[in-house]
Amino acid sequence: LTAAFENLDRLARSKRGADGSKDAFLALFLTERQDCHYFRQLRSGSLKLAGDDYVVEQCSEKNAVVVKNGDGKALYLFAGRQIATAERLEVLALTIDGDIPDGGKTTDVIKKIISEGGVPVLPWAPGKWFGDRGKIVSAILDSMSPGQLLIGDTSMRPLGWGEPLIMRKAARKGFKTVAGTDPLPFEGEENIIGKYVTAFNADFDVKKPVSNLRRLLSGSAVEISRAGRRSCPLSVLRRLWLNRRRKA
């Protein structure tokens, strides 16, 4: 949370000028694995944040909470899930906290997310958009309409790695691309949270943050851009190596 406040606030200032961040809406999406339920625990009060610097406040809509730091700045934290599909792809489910099991067909998982009111994202990942899996992603884009699905970019796509062909195809067809840091689960990754982000310029209704954000992400009226910086190639290799060592 400390890194998120600092990194997001820094990016907001760079986008809007020296004093622009004071009105910026700062938010994080969780994309939790099947074995993780931290958002649920945080909202219920069973998970307590360490120290006295943070206060968690409930929102009127169940899939978001507000975390305030010692300076009174607010960070909206949204529920989200990460689902591993039968085709060895990943689908992210933004703004919902339902238990969608791993192992389903990618198209079925996307339809399930939409039926529950969430925003599905197909994220790029190293090696996962090549070969047969790339053909599956391309076919999904051909079968769906912009507004039903987002494409996900990540800091794991190294600097200097050009925009993938499928990502360019999605842009031509009108699909929006959102960006995220995609931290891996080992020590040190918490420091990069909020360094590669999704940005947009729009009024935000804090009384209905979930409904409002779903409209902004799925609608065509608001332009979405990517801000911040992806990891350099050596950093990506190091992160992948450390993650593999952790699994071993």
Side-chain angles (χ1 to χ4, degrees):
L1 286 171
T2 300
F5 271 105
E6 291 176 355
N7 293 333
L8 290 172
D9 188 61
R10 186 181 302 112
L11 279 176
R13 289 181 181 277
S14 69
K15 291 285 286 185
R16 301 182 60 185
D19 297 319
S21 63
K22 64 182 180 181
D23 296 321
F25 174 82
L26 305 181
L28 282 182
F29 286 104
L30 291 181
T31 49
E32 300 190 77
R33 298 186 316 239
Q34 193 172 26
D35 58 340
C36 298
H37 296 284
Y38 291 108
F39 178 85
R40 199 172 300 176
Q41 296 167 16
L42 188 63
R43 194 174 192 279
S44 69
S46 62
L47 175 65
K48 303 296 184 181
L49 298 180
D52 299 323
D53 291 338
Y54 299 110
V55 176
V56 179
E57 297 181 356
Q58 303 292 330
C59 291
S60 58
E61 296 177 303
K62 66 178 183 178
N63 287 320
V65 295
V66 183
V67 180
K68 292 186 176 179
N69 66 9
D71 296 328
K73 291 183 178 179
L75 175 68
Y76 282 74
L77 190 64
F78 290 88
R81 308 299 301 171
Q82 178 192 66
I83 303 99
T85 72
E87 297 92 340
R88 294 182 297 121
L89 292 166
E90 292 176 357
V91 181
L92 309 181
L94 305 185
T95 72
I96 61 173
D97 193 33
D99 291 314
I100 301 175
D102 290 340
K105 289 183 62 176
T106 304
T107 51
D108 292 341
V109 169
I110 292 171
K111 291 175 183 178
K112 177 66 172 175
I113 294 168
I114 294 172
S115 71
E116 293 193 7
V119 180
V121 180
L122 265 177
W124 182 93
K128 290 191 176 182
W129 280 16
F130 294 125
D132 290 340
R133 288 186 289 181
K135 293 176 182 177
I136 292 169
V137 175
S138 184
I140 289 172
L141 294 177
D142 290 334
S143 68
M144 303 193 73
S145 302
Q148 293 181 300
L149 177 70
L150 298 173
I151 297 299
D153 197 9
T154 165
S155 69
M156 293 297 292
R157 181 168 68 89
L159 286 170
W161 188 306
E163 197 100 331
L165 290 174
I166 296 176
M167 203 176 285
R168 282 184 266 166
K169 172 182 177 176
R172 289 195 302 271
K173 294 176 72 69
F175 289 88
K176 294 181 178 180
T177 297
V178 293
T181 308
D182 191 18
L184 297 171
F186 56 84
E187 186 177 358
E189 287 285 282
E190 70 278 4
N191 296 317
I192 69 171
I193 293 174
K195 286 194 173 182
Y196 188 49
V197 304
T198 305
F200 49 82
N201 187 10
D203 293 330
F204 196 85
D205 184 0
V206 295
K207 294 180 180 179
K208 294 184 176 180
V210 176
S211 302
N212 194 199
L213 201 52
R214 285 173 179 168
R215 286 195 299 270
L216 291 173
L217 291 173
S218 301
S220 59
V222 176
E223 181 179 348
I224 286 178
S225 61
R226 285 166 274 176
R229 184 178 176 87
R230 306 195 310 274
S231 297
C232 70
L234 286 177
S235 176
V236 170
L237 289 173
R238 177 182 176 275
R239 293 171 67 191
L240 290 172
W241 177 77
L242 287 171
N243 192 49
R244 176 168 293 187
R245 190 179 71 168
R246 177 192 64 84
K247 291 179 179 178

